[in-house]
Amino acid sequence: MKAKRVLLITTACLALMAPALGMAAEADSYDEAVAQYQQGHWATAYGQFMALANAGDADAARTALFMLRYGPQLYNSHWDAIPAQVRRWEQLAMSTQGRSTPVFQPVASR
């Protein structure tokens, strides 16, 4: 449990430092975060989504909020964020900014 807490604090600190270090919220960064998520590297993905959300990425804010809220139930993990971050992410999440959603292509039934 102590190792998880250290990992959580380290991830949060790195995510907070990312904007200060000049890491821009680029499409490649978002795609990398999505890839980490899809591979089950949820702590890494959460840290990347946090950094992107802190830099103003609305889609990353939506994902970070989801992961923060449902971490215990879905990922068996507790992540943290500063209340001011959460408020900012909520504002971003309510905006109309974001990437376009791919058009759904249903699979033909037999």
Side-chain angles (χ1 to χ4, degrees):
M1 188 63 146
K2 188 175 181 179
K4 281 186 177 182
R5 189 171 274 174
V6 170
L7 176 63
L8 169 67
I9 292 169
T10 303
T11 302
C13 289
L14 290 173
L16 289 172
M17 288 176 26
L21 295 173
M23 293 182 178
E26 300 173 4
D28 291 344
S29 299
Y30 183 83
D31 292 342
E32 174 61 27
V34 169
Q36 291 295 319
Y37 183 94
Q38 290 172 338
Q39 293 170 16
H41 302 212
W42 297 311
T44 301
Y46 178 69
Q48 291 175 335
F49 285 126
M50 275 183 71
L52 292 165
N54 290 338
D57 187 307
D59 288 329
R62 290 180 191 100
T63 307
L65 283 168
F66 179 85
M67 292 182 77
L68 177 67
R69 290 184 178 145
Y70 296 104
Q73 298 94 332
L74 297 177
Y75 313 105
N76 198 30
S77 297
H78 293 270
W79 292 301
D80 204 3
I82 298 169
Q85 283 178 307
V86 174
R87 285 191 298 275
R88 169 83 169 112
W89 298 350
E90 289 171 339
Q91 289 172 346
L92 284 168
M94 290 188 298
S95 75
T96 58
Q97 298 174 11
R99 291 160 186 81
S100 61
T101 305
V103 177
F104 175 69
Q105 299 292 328
V107 176
S109 60
R110 296 178 187 210

